[in-house]
Amino acid sequence: MQQVLVSHSRPLAIPLSSPLKELLAYAYASRDRLREEIVAGCQSRFPHYGALSAAEVAGLRENVDYLISGFYLRQVGEGRLPVASELEAPRRMARLRVAQGVPLAEMIGCYQIGLPVLWGDLVGRVDADNPVQLELLKRVPVTISAMTLATTAVT
């Protein structure tokens, strides 16, 4: 019996301030650099990711791009979890990774590399006494829940 995960996600009732919207736009513009940092982390930490062919690395980059967009646009920007249809691309990539022989522990580990990189970059752009820090704090649970949902959906 196949498990079906459905996210009935409602956005946070807290609107984004203009400074947070600007921060997200600025940070999102750095997504290529962040993608490369996450991909490099996966490849250096996990042997199977390090041994991917150029075409397979391109697929990994595509998957990481998708997850970065979800982080900035859905989770932090809209304050919501992905819905079932938004988890199809990561599921497809997970099935491909399994067919390539990537162990489940490495797959999950690669997902876990991304969230600290994204949060570190975002928070690193804001002074500690900036009120945007409090807005970001309210969005942390959504991003952690989304990562758990995505990881669960692909396993």
Side-chain angles (χ1 to χ4, degrees):
M1 182 168 129
Q2 182 179 2
Q3 180 183 10
V4 178
L5 295 174
V6 179
S7 168
H8 300 286
S9 180
R10 289 184 302 216
L12 291 172
I14 307 158
L16 295 175
S17 69
S18 292
L20 182 52
K21 286 179 186 176
E22 291 172 19
L23 172 65
L24 289 175
Y26 185 66
Y28 188 65
S30 299
R31 66 189 174 276
D32 290 346
R33 177 185 54 79
L34 296 169
R35 177 197 61 224
E36 293 309 310
E37 185 177 338
I38 293 167
V39 168
C42 292
Q43 290 187 296
S44 67
R45 191 164 171 197
F46 303 113
H48 285 82
Y49 280 94
L52 293 176
S53 70
E56 292 165 341
V57 171
L60 174 60
R61 283 189 175 98
E62 182 181 322
N63 192 49
V64 172
D65 277 336
Y66 186 81
L67 295 171
I68 289 171
S69 294
F71 175 83
Y72 285 112
L73 304 177
R74 280 191 300 272
Q75 298 154 28
V76 180
E78 296 176 17
R80 71 175 180 85
L81 297 173
V83 296
S85 63
E86 293 166 334
L87 294 170
E88 273 310 306
R91 278 190 192 109
R92 252 190 328 277
M93 188 56 65
R95 287 190 293 269
L96 180 61
R97 293 286 170 252
V98 167
Q100 294 166 342
V102 175
L104 182 58
E106 287 190 22
M107 219 183 319
I108 292 169
C110 196
Y111 273 90
Q112 292 173 335
I113 285 175
L115 194 58
V117 168
L118 296 173
W119 268 116
D121 180 74
L122 193 56
V123 172
R125 296 171 184 270
V126 181
D127 293 330
D129 59 349
N130 189 321
V132 169
Q133 288 264 4
L134 293 175
E135 280 188 87
L136 289 172
L137 181 63
K138 294 174 184 172
R139 286 162 168 77
V140 170
V142 174
T143 64
I144 292 172
S145 294
M147 182 59 62
T148 301
L149 184 63
T151 304
T152 303
V154 301
T155 57

